[in-house]
Amino acid sequence: MKRPTLETLRRKKAAGEPIASMTAYDASFAAALERAGIDFILVGDSLGMVIQGRDSTLGVTVGDIAYHCRCVHAGAPRTLLVADLPFMSYATTAQALGNAARLLREGNAQMVKMEGGAWLADTVRALDERGIPVCGHLGLLPQSVHKLGGYRVQGRDEASAAALLEEARILEQAGARMLVLECVPAALAARVSGELSIPVIGIGAGARVDGQVLVLHDALGMNPSMPRFCRDFLTGAGGIEAAFRAYVAAVRERSFPAPGESFE
Ligand code: KIV
């Protein structure tokens, strides 16, 4: 079986079939996710917190992401792989081109993800024109935690919701092929998903988007301060692979996230 491509995700959105994604950082968990039927795996810079034990994602390097991409691809060679560009690795278009190329070449990634809005438009265009698909990331941007003053829900007032919607449009027009929305009110996320033709993947963004992504450790209930938008899929599942299957099923039937796991 060949690795799915972004076209597979685009078709799912067009058909109204929810996309299930999770982060992974090593071969064993990636293999279990592949067996469970996950649609794509994200090697997120969340690895700075859940693997390296840091208090933010800011210390993660491109080398770290490339290494974990190689591990994940070794375990899940038939799963679409998306790689995060970490903090300050895409501050200029030239940096983004070099670092993204490295993640595709060395890490076997098929797409890179970058946090930010309109300021990234030229970079998104440059990458896409050169054959590197980009996933945008709006809402709560963990790489900007010091500017945001903490990990908080974004887009709650009218002005910031309108700004987020506009940034999403700009990213799509610039060539972004997918968008992650993190910690935004469910109604705003639904609006973004409805207006964009690219898949919109939520985390803490309600169920009315085109798919969900969760940090692996959160989905296994390993976060001592489980955020409201996470669910422990392991307890009661009977094993890790069964937990992944339960997650994929819950996303596909839109029973995850429930209203109580979303923001207003
Ligand atoms: O780094 C990460 O794991 C992410 C997800 C939270 C979407 O960006």
Side-chain angles (χ1 to χ4, degrees):
M1 193 186 110
K2 280 200 271 169
R3 266 214 283 190
T5 65
L6 296 173
E7 180 56 19
T8 317
L9 303 185
R10 200 199 58 75
R11 266 193 257 119
K12 283 195 176 231
K13 168 158 181 149
E17 288 170 32
I19 296 163
S21 169
M22 200 177 282
T23 67
Y25 318 96
D26 71 18
S28 303
F29 280 111
L33 281 168
E34 183 166 282
R35 289 192 298 270
I38 204 80
D39 290 308
F40 73 90
I41 293 178
L42 170 68
V43 174
D45 61 359
S46 49
L47 72 85
M49 297 165 94
V50 298
I51 302 290
Q52 298 173 336
R54 302 174 190 268
D55 63 359
S56 80
T57 60
L58 305 192
V60 176
T61 66
V62 176
D64 293 334
I65 300 280
Y67 168 77
H68 288 282
C69 279
R70 283 196 297 278
C71 298
V72 165
H73 182 63
R78 284 174 297 277
T79 300
L80 203 153
L81 181 57
V82 180
D84 254 347
L85 275 169
F87 180 61
M88 279 295 144
S89 67
Y90 52 98
T92 66
T93 298
Q95 279 181 322
L97 285 168
N99 288 322
R102 182 171 172 200
L103 295 179
L104 266 62
R105 257 195 219 118
E106 290 178 23
N108 277 298
Q110 289 157 284
M111 172 180 244
V112 295
K113 177 164 81 59
M114 302 189 292
E115 296 182 10
W119 71 272
L120 279 173
D122 289 343
T123 301
V124 170
R125 196 170 296 111
L127 266 72
D128 191 70
E129 282 172 356
R130 287 159 182 80
I132 302 179
V134 175
C135 176
H137 183 150
L138 292 173
L140 172 57
L141 307 180
Q143 291 174 16
S144 301
V145 60
H146 297 311
K147 181 175 160 191
L148 297 174
Y151 298 100
R152 299 204 184 91
V153 181
Q154 304 293 308
R156 271 197 152 141
D157 61 86
E158 234 172 81
S160 62
L164 189 146
L165 185 56
E166 184 54 18
E167 303 234 74
R169 288 192 193 111
I170 289 170
L171 288 174
E172 179 174 46
Q173 277 159 17
R177 307 274 171 157
M178 190 158 73
L179 178 68
V180 165
L181 279 184
E182 180 166 355
C183 290
V184 299
L188 172 60
R191 178 136 188 236
V192 175
S193 164
E195 291 213 9
L196 266 51
S197 60
I198 57 174
V200 174
I201 310 297
I203 171 164
R208 285 178 293 138
V209 285
D210 307 307
Q212 303 292 329
V213 59
L214 266 191
V215 170
L216 166 77
H217 296 66
D218 293 347
L220 297 180
M222 293 177 71
N223 185 339
S225 53
M226 281 286 269
R228 167 198 178 113
F229 58 85
C230 297
R231 188 186 294 177
D232 171 1
F233 285 91
L234 180 59
T235 304
I240 286 171
E241 201 173 312
F244 292 159
R245 285 186 196 281
Y247 168 73
V248 170
V251 171
R252 295 216 170 120
E253 67 192 28
R254 292 192 197 278
S255 60
F256 175 78
E261 294 163 325
S262 307
F263 301 105
E264 283 166 18

